[in-house]
Amino acid sequence: MKKRLFPLVLMLAAGLTQAGELRLRGYDGYPYNGTPDSDHPGFFIEAAKAIFAQHQTDVSYNVVPWNAMISGADRGVYDCLLGIHPTEAPELNFTRDPWTVMSPHLYVRPTDPMKYEDLNSFGMRRVAVIKDSRMEAALKPLATLKPKPKQLILVPEADGMDELVRRLRMGEVDVIAAPEATMAQYIKAHGLEKAIRDVGHFADPVPLYVACSNKEGDANLVTWLNQGRLELIKTGQWQELKKKYDVE
C-alpha cells in the first residue's frame, strides 16, 4: 500500500462482529492512547470502554502507529479509531463533538534561543519526529522552505519518545516535535524539566474524535458514543477521566 500522510481519505469497511466484540484501535501516544490492560490504558479507550460497557459490548483494543491505524482501517480490520480528525478519514461516522484536542509543540535544549514565529524559525536546525506519525505530517510544509532545514530526521516508531529525547539531549538533533500532552507527561515522569524547553506550538491544535464504520447497521456505534459521553459528563466520570490523564 502506498504510504500516505495527513490529510488522508479512508473508508472503514469493518462492522460489528457477530460475537459483539468491537475492534478499537488508537495510535501509540499516551495520554490519549496507552498500554492495554493497564491502570492507565489511555483517555480514549477508558472512556470508550465505559460507554460500550453500558451496552454489554466487549472491546478488543490495542495501540498501533498512526499510519498503521489508518491502513488497518482501509483493510476493514478495525471497527472504531480512537483519536482521529475528520479530515483524516472523511468517510467515517464521527462523534458529534471532539473528545479532546492535541497541540503540536516544539522542544529544544534549554540553551537554544529558538522562538517559533513561522516556518522560517526552523532555520538550518536539525528537526526530528517519529516516522509515519501525525507530527511528521504536520511538518510536511518544511519541504517548501528555502533554504530547507538542515535535516528532517525520522525516528522509527518502535524507538519512540525515548530515542527522540536521547538524540535531542546528546545534540544529535536541535528540535523535536511532539504532542504537548504527551511530551509534558514524559518530561515530568523522567524529571527532565531542566533538560528540555518547550518552544510552543507550531501548528493549530487538532480536535480529536472517535470515528466508527459507516457500514449499514453500524450507525448506532456513534449514537452510543454521543449519548454515553453525555451520561459520563452527568455522572462526573468524564471530568474524572480528563483529570486522570491531564487532557483538555
Side-chain angles (χ1 to χ4, degrees):
M1 179 179 292
K2 184 179 179 180
K3 174 182 170 183
R4 299 180 303 165
L5 289 173
F6 182 89
L8 297 161
V9 177
L10 83 91
M11 177 175 288
L12 183 57
L16 212 58
T17 64
Q18 291 298 317
E21 183 178 78
L22 283 175
R23 298 158 294 183
L24 309 184
R25 293 297 183 271
Y27 64 92
D28 190 2
Y30 189 85
Y32 307 109
N33 300 301
T35 304
D37 301 321
S38 72
D39 293 335
H40 288 72
F43 169 71
F44 273 97
I45 185 57
E46 193 160 349
K49 287 179 71 174
I51 292 171
F52 286 127
Q54 297 173 4
H55 299 273
Q56 293 76 50
T57 301
D58 295 326
V59 302
S60 169
Y61 161 69
N62 208 343
V63 292
V64 293
W66 182 64
N67 256 21
M69 179 177 75
I70 301 299
S71 64
D74 270 336
R75 298 194 303 274
V77 296
Y78 307 146
D79 294 298
C80 296
L81 304 184
L82 308 177
I84 190 166
H85 189 270
T87 56
E88 298 168 337
E91 310 235 0
L92 296 187
N93 289 324
F94 280 77
T95 51
R96 179 175 55 248
D97 301 304
W99 283 18
T100 186
V101 297
M102 184 278 295
S103 184
H105 275 225
L106 300 173
Y107 298 87
V108 298
R109 293 182 294 281
T111 56
D112 191 321
M114 180 180 184
K115 293 181 180 180
Y116 185 78
E117 296 179 356
D118 54 33
L119 290 177
N120 292 309
S121 300
F122 285 102
M124 295 298 289
R125 288 177 168 85
R126 297 163 296 177
V127 184
V129 294
I130 299 294
K131 188 177 186 294
D132 293 338
S133 69
R134 186 180 274 122
M135 292 298 99
E136 180 188 355
L139 286 172
K140 284 189 70 177
L142 286 179
T144 66
L145 285 184
K146 295 181 180 180
K148 294 182 180 180
K150 188 172 183 180
Q151 191 173 10
L152 180 60
I153 299 170
L154 303 179
V155 172
E157 190 276 335
D159 295 335
M161 191 66 71
D162 288 339
E163 180 63 10
L164 270 184
V165 170
R166 185 197 71 78
R167 293 193 185 196
L168 178 66
R169 298 189 69 193
M170 295 297 293
E172 296 176 12
V173 300
D174 304 304
V175 185
I176 59 177
E180 179 186 20
T182 299
M183 195 62 171
Q185 295 205 25
Y186 185 95
I187 289 174
K188 181 178 180 180
H190 293 82
L192 297 174
E193 290 85 354
K194 296 183 178 180
I196 298 175
R197 185 171 70 84
D198 185 348
V199 176
H201 67 88
F202 67 95
D204 292 335
V206 180
L208 299 179
Y209 300 72
V210 177
C212 298
S213 168
N214 61 7
K215 188 176 181 180
E216 185 177 357
D218 285 349
N220 62 322
L221 297 181
V222 169
T223 299
W224 289 354
L225 291 167
N226 288 333
Q227 294 175 344
R229 174 178 173 271
L230 294 178
E231 289 299 319
L232 293 183
I233 290 174
K234 289 180 182 179
T235 63
Q237 189 175 351
W238 184 262
Q239 295 87 331
E240 291 175 3
L241 286 174
K242 288 221 164 184
K243 183 176 180 181
K244 175 179 178 178
Y245 290 102
D246 195 19
V247 296
E248 298 181 30

